[in-house]
Amino acid sequence: MIIMKVLEQFEKECEDAVRQALVALGAPADTPLVKEIPDNADLAIPCFMLSKSLRKPPAAIAQEIAAQLKVPAGLITGVTALNGYLNFTADSAAIVRDTLTEITEKGKDFGKHAPTGLRVNVEHTSTNPTGPVHVGRARNPIIGDTLARCLRMCGHDVTTEYYVNDVGKQMVMMAWGVTNVTPAEVKQEIEETGKEDDRDKVDHRLVYNYRVATKKIHDDPVMEEQIAEMVRKFEAGDQATIDQVKGITEKMLGGIKETLSAMNVTLDRYTWESSLIASGAARQIVERLKATKYAGQAADGAWFLDLKDFGIHGKNTNFTFTRADGTTLYTTRDLAYHLDKFSRSDRVIDVLGEDQKLGSQQLCAALKIMSVEQKPEPLFYAFVALPEGRMSTRKGVVVYLDDLIDEASDRAYEEIKKRRNDLPENRMRAIARQIGVGAVRYNIVRVAPSKQLVFKWEEALNFDGNSGPYLQYVHARACSMLRKAGTFERDTDPAKLTDEYEIRLAKALAGFEDVLQDAGNNMHVHQLPAYGHKVAALFNQFYAEVPVLQAGASRNARLTLVECTKIVLANVLDCLGIAAPEEM
RNA sequence: GGGCGAGUGGCCUAGUUUGGAUAGAGCGGCGGCCUCCUAAGCCGCAAGUCGGGGGUUCGAAUCCCCUCUCGCCCGCCA
């Protein structure tokens, strides 16, 4: 059953009707028509742009077209002319019936598109494993994971992956710090910063070693030489050094994975940067680039690409792809990585911090130079800053995601305790966790990625209004009603759902698939929480105004509407990576 | 110096791609609503020169030009 088409069909009927009338009035049949969905009608068509060709005021045109139309016809139940607009009303009974029928038939597959066969790759998170994930970069896994979930609902074959940076001075320093920094130095670092992080988690413990190492290197020539030596060995393929770095990277990554998992984020695949060196893939990129006419070599031997013809602006349009000693650079290896992703994907999306804009542009230019047809689609997000400024792992100016999750869960626990005395302790804890994570994820994904955000505890821990817990609450409410109702016979008879609250709610439910397409295919992830909030708010209004369990003849129909709302909200929450608790 | 992004009530945000009716929400504030299905809720009130200035248009938050503020970037770092 293809029900969602009711709205589409209605639109088409309106358009056809207006076109016919226009021809009768002497306008060309291909006149472009603007369609809107306002509050006071189901579809509106403004007539202002017709005024030129018909040489009449818009209001008169609207009047004349309205007079020409034969209504009701099909799904159109009414048309009025107002202020130069044609306002159409749809057969709400058909919409209500078809929407509820489809939702009850499809259940959790409601809104899901048929398989498209399109292979979509979403790279996200990919944070350097030098410390715990902090809130400044937390947008990445949350946006990336939400996007991947939406794309799956759009019917695509989605692979998510994390590009693990285990190459370079930064990670060498990390490894050096773990083996050489003493407990006394760690203690001193804690005293100096005045902040102790006593969480027993590998990434939280080892980040002190990294911080001490980055501080020491400035005034310790011996250490500086040791690091340089390790980097040289690493670049030369010394297995012991490579394994040492890789071992530490794995440990840190383990901690990061734990955090992600707590946020309901899991990735399908991890690609290690060092593997692109080992496989020779990075080397091949170098050879391919060298052979192009844009390649050049500096006096000391470093190779670069001149990108001035590719929209790269600034002081220096050269993009260096090998060091003087011939070793590869980050972006060179990233090129190899992208070629690998292209070989197994039809669409490649990179969720990146806004500091990667130039790098991404250079990468695309280099791909073009190599005559690679495919291009990654970057999705940039601005960093979340603290009121006192940008977050920094090295400086210790951070709020860790683990701490945010814990704080949110603790607050949620207090809220539950206030209103429920019937639940066992472990149940309250479990629900609190779901609500805490829901609040955090929702709060971050609700804002368009390009907006710069300042992190504030009171906003991140918001459980009211436009928040994750608000949606969860409505879901729990609906579940509670259904529990109390017991078994009932589904009823999609629109004659029993004529209240304005019921019709508005049903129409909102019908819009889920469109929102999913926009959130997924157009990467407008932040539309999803907005939609969820709208549905939840409409449900709460319905709930406040319309009795359900005591509804007499309409009881089953209203329960069906409650069940459908529950299904849609559960689907929305699932796409947001937020649990849908049955009670709270 | 240059490139890219952001600027919408006290705070935060949607809408900008594809120009249309009185610019939607939320938080905070003020005032109502639990003898009824979860009050993490509902209803109402106050609060907006859509950063500023030009322009295009019947019509601009939306398009064009100029300008101001903030963020990010302009390593042979990753």
Side-chain angles (χ1 to χ4, degrees):
Chain A
M1 220 176 199
I2 316 143
I3 298 307
M4 221 70 307
K5 308 311 168 205
V6 180
L7 288 175
E8 263 174 50
Q9 199 193 323
F10 165 69
E11 268 189 41
K12 192 175 176 304
E13 286 178 13
C14 293
E15 193 177 336
D16 290 348
V18 172
R19 260 183 218 295
Q20 271 184 22
L22 277 175
V23 171
L25 290 171
D30 59 348
T31 309
L33 292 177
V34 175
K35 289 176 281 186
E36 305 170 45
I37 300 175
D39 293 330
N40 56 352
D42 293 302
L43 190 82
I45 294 182
C47 299
F48 305 92
M49 65 290 270
L50 304 170
S51 130
K52 227 171 212 169
S53 60
L54 291 175
R55 295 162 176 275
K56 283 176 194 167
I61 297 171
Q63 294 283 0
E64 286 180 32
I65 296 176
Q68 287 258 335
L69 298 180
K70 297 175 280 288
V71 280
L75 292 166
I76 304 171
T77 53
V79 60
T80 54
L82 180 67
N83 303 333
Y85 286 83
L86 278 165
N87 289 333
F88 292 89
T89 42
D91 177 2
S92 48
I95 294 172
V96 169
R97 187 200 317 110
D98 293 357
T99 303
L100 298 193
T101 305
E102 180 169 352
I103 296 172
T104 49
E105 278 175 6
K106 291 194 172 165
K108 67 177 170 25
D109 282 336
F110 174 71
K112 186 168 189 168
H113 196 278
T116 61
L118 195 77
R119 298 167 303 169
V120 183
N121 187 289
V122 180
E123 182 204 327
H124 68 79
T125 310
S126 301
T127 172
N128 287 351
T130 52
V133 179
H134 63 68
V135 175
R137 294 196 176 265
R139 269 179 142 172
N140 201 322
I142 295 172
I143 291 169
D145 183 66
T146 307
L147 177 62
R149 288 165 181 267
C150 290
L151 287 165
R152 287 197 179 100
M153 281 296 272
C154 289
H156 311 311
D157 293 333
V158 178
T159 303
T160 53
E161 60 188 90
Y162 187 126
Y163 186 42
V164 186
N165 164 239
D166 62 333
V167 178
K169 190 171 173 181
Q170 209 176 160
M171 287 316 297
V172 164
M173 209 130 70
M174 178 83 228
W176 185 93
V178 171
T179 38
N180 295 291
V181 169
T182 64
E185 285 172 319
V186 167
K187 201 177 163 215
Q188 196 194 340
E189 165 69 17
I190 291 168
E191 277 164 13
E192 275 173 20
T193 54
K195 268 194 238 167
E196 175 155 19
D197 177 357
D198 55 1
R199 187 184 292 273
D200 187 25
K201 189 158 171 288
V202 63
D203 46 341
H204 288 257
R205 288 202 316 273
L206 295 183
V207 71
Y208 286 114
N209 298 61
Y210 177 66
R211 260 195 242 160
V212 172
T214 56
K215 277 186 187 169
K216 270 183 88 168
I217 196 164
H218 292 300
D219 39 38
D220 185 343
V222 178
M223 172 192 168
E224 203 174 346
E225 182 42 44
Q226 285 175 341
I227 298 284
E229 176 63 15
M230 279 176 78
V231 172
R232 272 195 295 275
K233 281 183 168 171
F234 191 102
E235 297 280 354
D238 178 71
Q239 204 54 50
T241 310
I242 291 172
D243 288 347
Q244 188 194 354
V245 172
K246 188 160 184 169
I248 299 303
T249 308
E250 256 163 6
K251 271 191 191 166
M252 294 301 279
L253 190 60
I256 290 168
K257 281 185 189 175
E258 258 182 67
T259 306
L260 294 176
S261 161
M263 296 286 295
N264 303 326
V265 176
T266 51
L267 290 108
D268 300 321
R269 197 178 159 126
Y270 291 79
T271 302
W272 291 69
E273 192 179 343
S274 59
S275 74
L276 297 161
I277 298 177
S279 71
R283 204 71 251 156
Q284 282 173 24
I285 295 290
V286 170
E287 296 313 318
R288 277 179 79 172
L289 290 177
K290 274 185 190 171
T292 68
K293 63 174 175 177
Y294 298 96
Q297 199 171 18
D300 63 4
W303 283 86
F304 62 85
L305 240 33
D306 185 354
L307 299 181
K308 70 169 178 298
D309 296 341
F310 293 85
I312 308 287
H313 308 270
K315 293 172 186 162
N316 184 4
T317 56
N318 284 358
F319 158 56
T320 305
F321 63 91
T322 78
R323 294 193 183 87
D325 65 5
T327 54
T328 59
L329 292 156
Y330 174 81
T331 313
T332 320
R333 301 186 288 268
D334 203 18
L335 276 165
Y337 179 40
H338 275 82
L339 253 41
D340 173 50
K341 288 198 279 188
F342 293 152
S343 74
R344 48 194 168 83
S345 327
D346 302 305
R347 191 174 174 190
V348 169
I349 295 169
D350 297 338
V351 181
L352 299 170
E354 60 180 340
D355 55 339
Q356 307 287 314
K357 279 179 188 172
L358 178 62
S360 175
Q361 226 185 333
Q362 289 172 330
L363 183 123
C364 288
L367 287 170
K368 205 167 185 180
I369 286 172
M370 290 192 291
S371 308
V372 174
E373 296 289 325
Q374 274 177 283
K375 250 190 349 190
E377 295 172 63
L379 173 52
F380 295 113
Y381 62 92
F383 294 118
V384 180
L386 291 175
E388 52 267 46
R390 193 176 172 172
M391 290 191 206
S392 162
T393 304
R394 280 183 296 110
K395 293 177 187 159
V397 187
V398 283
V399 173
Y400 292 129
L401 191 49
D402 290 320
D403 296 333
L404 175 55
I405 296 169
D406 283 357
E407 183 65 30
S409 302
D410 289 348
R411 291 254 200 133
Y413 176 77
E414 295 307 319
E415 293 297 318
I416 293 180
K417 229 175 158 180
K418 266 192 239 166
R419 53 201 98 201
R420 300 291 297 262
N421 50 15
D422 57 321
L423 292 174
E425 177 72 10
N426 61 343
R427 180 85 187 119
M428 283 198 287
R429 288 283 175 198
I431 295 170
R433 194 82 184 169
Q434 295 183 336
I435 292 167
V437 170
V440 170
R441 278 192 71 137
Y442 189 97
N443 185 251
I444 287 181
V445 82
R446 61 175 253 267
V447 180
S450 58
K451 289 259 195 193
Q452 52 207 45
L453 280 182
V454 175
F455 175 81
K456 290 180 191 122
W457 282 100
E458 65 270 28
E459 280 171 20
L461 301 177
N462 175 33
F463 296 162
D464 303 323
N466 190 6
S467 73
Y470 181 90
L471 308 208
Q472 291 175 310
Y473 180 69
V474 169
H475 182 268
R477 233 182 190 180
C479 286
S480 170
M481 293 168 84
L482 293 167
R483 261 196 313 275
K484 291 216 163 112
T487 50
F488 67 97
E489 209 166 299
R490 281 180 184 152
D491 186 353
T492 56
D493 179 5
K496 292 170 188 155
L497 297 167
T498 54
D499 196 283
E500 57 173 321
Y501 293 99
E502 295 165 333
I503 292 168
R504 273 207 295 263
L505 178 56
K507 282 180 181 171
L509 298 179
F512 182 46
E513 186 165 0
D514 283 348
V515 173
L516 269 179
Q517 296 287 320
D518 190 38
N521 292 332
N522 298 335
M523 305 195 292
H524 293 164
V525 171
H526 65 290
Q527 293 302 333
L528 192 60
Y531 171 75
H533 179 256
K534 180 175 135 191
V535 169
L538 286 171
F539 181 87
N540 275 333
Q541 289 164 14
F542 157 75
Y543 175 88
E545 298 298 325
V546 183
V548 175
L549 295 179
Q550 313 296 327
S554 301
R555 184 178 187 268
N556 286 350
R558 287 180 181 164
L559 278 167
T560 306
L561 180 60
V562 171
E563 189 190 7
C564 289
T565 308
K566 188 205 100 167
I567 290 168
V568 171
L569 275 177
N571 290 358
V572 169
L573 288 168
D574 186 53
C575 287
L576 291 170
I578 297 175
E582 303 210 335
E583 57 181 343
M584 62 187 268

